[in-house]
Amino acid sequence: MSAPDAPSAPEPVDAAALRDLALAVAREGAALVRERRAGVVEVAATKTSDIDVVTEADRACEALLRERIAAARPHDAFLGEESADDEHAVPADGVRWIVDPIDGTVNFLYDLGQYSVCVAAEVTTGGVSEVVAGVVVDVPTGIEYEAVLGGGARRDGVPLAVRGPAPMAERLLCTGFSYDRRIRVLQAEAWVRLLPHVRDLRRRGSAALDLCLVAEGRVDGYVEEGVHLWDHAAAGLVAREAGARTRVLPGVGGLDLLVCGPSHGFDELVAIVEWAGFSAGTAAE
Ligand code: IPD
């Protein structure tokens, strides 16, 4: 009698191959979004509030990304902004794709530039998840940001690095505001405290592209409550691989608060963000 087959070992993950697939599908998604922008763009529906909008292009791009990824890797899981279940549920072991078909939908709607297609590949082993490949394509410009865990980050193939150290008073920060009006009030109050202590603030409209700006050393940090995994999975890896750190804290409004900045001076950034009252349980006196 022959011995029963031993269970097959899980296939090792080739992060560079996942990045290559992410890049191929994100390029295709960006081409679709660009083409849609050339036509008439209208709000198709609202989501978490009346100002949280979705267009047909968001849906079409997500469907395209899902279809292309499933064709190449039929056994992988998929989390997309427009079809998401619980983004915080612990994924099963294996690869999960995390996509934002248009990050910066309001900019897309108003034709303001600054919107991107984001594709990340996350690997879970024994309940521990890690993003191993990430791609962000700036749709109007076609600029491509990509990173592989442990393999650095690039913009159109050129390696990226964060800015050098700067005192807090000379740091330029990016942020975003929640679609939840109640949280916006809390965000505005925290900015009233923080703004006098930094160089200035930018609100450009795509969290992913803001994180890529940190990666390429064009701003000194990013702070926002209310971001979702699809907003920062790909771009967070790009930033970390360029020398930044990211941390998700409980925000004062009860949502995820993301802080990102060059690893030098990161603790100081988190401390002043907490002092200013962005995070739960901390506020300036
Ligand atoms: C939004 C953008 C925006 C940020 C919001 C995000 P979406 O993503 O990244 O800059 O402030 O928190 O939800 O809705 O355009 O995919």
Side-chain angles (χ1 to χ4, degrees):
M1 204 170 80
S2 59
D5 288 344
S8 54
E11 272 182 38
V13 170
D14 179 347
L18 297 180
R19 183 271 321 275
D20 292 347
L21 176 59
L23 191 52
V25 301
R27 266 182 198 154
E28 222 186 318
L32 179 151
V33 173
R34 214 172 284 128
E35 193 183 299
R36 293 295 180 101
R37 188 47 267 178
V40 177
V41 177
E42 281 169 1
V43 173
T46 56
K47 299 187 288 183
T48 58
S49 78
D50 58 331
I51 49 173
D52 184 3
V53 297
V54 60
T55 70
E56 283 306 335
D58 294 76
R59 290 172 173 166
C61 181
E62 181 158 322
L64 177 75
L65 298 174
R66 183 192 281 271
E67 187 187 307
R68 294 292 191 264
I69 291 168
R73 296 186 54 97
H75 303 298
D76 293 352
F78 183 91
L79 176 76
E81 176 175 16
E82 307 310 337
S83 54
D85 297 325
D86 180 4
E87 69 181 284
H88 292 110
V90 179
D93 279 11
V95 175
R96 175 171 75 160
W97 294 84
I98 303 168
V99 314
D100 191 338
I102 305 181
D103 183 63
T105 299
V106 174
N107 282 349
F108 172 70
L109 181 66
Y110 283 76
D111 200 7
L112 289 176
Q114 294 291 319
Y115 46 94
S116 56
V117 175
C118 307
V119 180
E122 173 198 67
V123 173
T124 300
T125 314
V128 179
S129 304
E130 202 165 27
V131 174
V132 301
V135 169
V136 177
V137 178
D138 181 332
V139 175
T141 63
I143 293 170
E144 296 173 347
Y145 300 90
E146 49 81 18
V148 171
L149 184 66
R154 288 148 296 273
R155 170 186 156 148
D156 290 338
V158 178
L160 296 177
V162 295
R163 284 179 89 73
M168 194 56 69
E170 292 170 20
R171 294 193 201 178
L172 180 62
L173 302 180
C174 282
T175 196
F177 296 109
S178 173
Y179 294 124
D180 179 333
R181 293 184 160 89
R182 177 189 63 91
I183 291 175
R184 280 190 180 179
V185 172
L186 301 170
Q187 290 173 319
E189 286 168 356
W191 276 112
V192 166
R193 296 188 198 100
L194 185 52
L195 205 43
H197 299 278
V198 297
R199 183 188 292 279
D200 208 342
L201 168 64
R202 296 288 181 269
R203 198 294 188 237
R204 293 164 61 92
S206 163
L209 290 175
D210 290 349
L211 293 169
C212 291
L213 289 183
V214 175
E216 58 183 317
R218 293 169 69 199
V219 299
D220 299 286
Y222 169 82
V223 180
E224 180 178 355
E225 175 171 1
V227 289
H228 297 279
L229 203 44
W230 43 82
D231 297 318
H232 63 87
L237 181 67
V238 171
R240 289 189 296 277
E241 286 295 323
R245 283 171 63 193
T246 55
R247 189 173 302 163
V248 178
L249 301 163
V252 63
L255 302 180
D256 286 350
L257 165 69
L258 178 64
V259 184
C260 174
S263 43
H264 50 73
F266 183 71
D267 291 339
E268 203 190 344
L269 177 61
V270 170
I272 200 165
V273 162
E274 290 186 324
W275 168 84
F278 284 93
S279 63
T282 52
E285 293 298 312

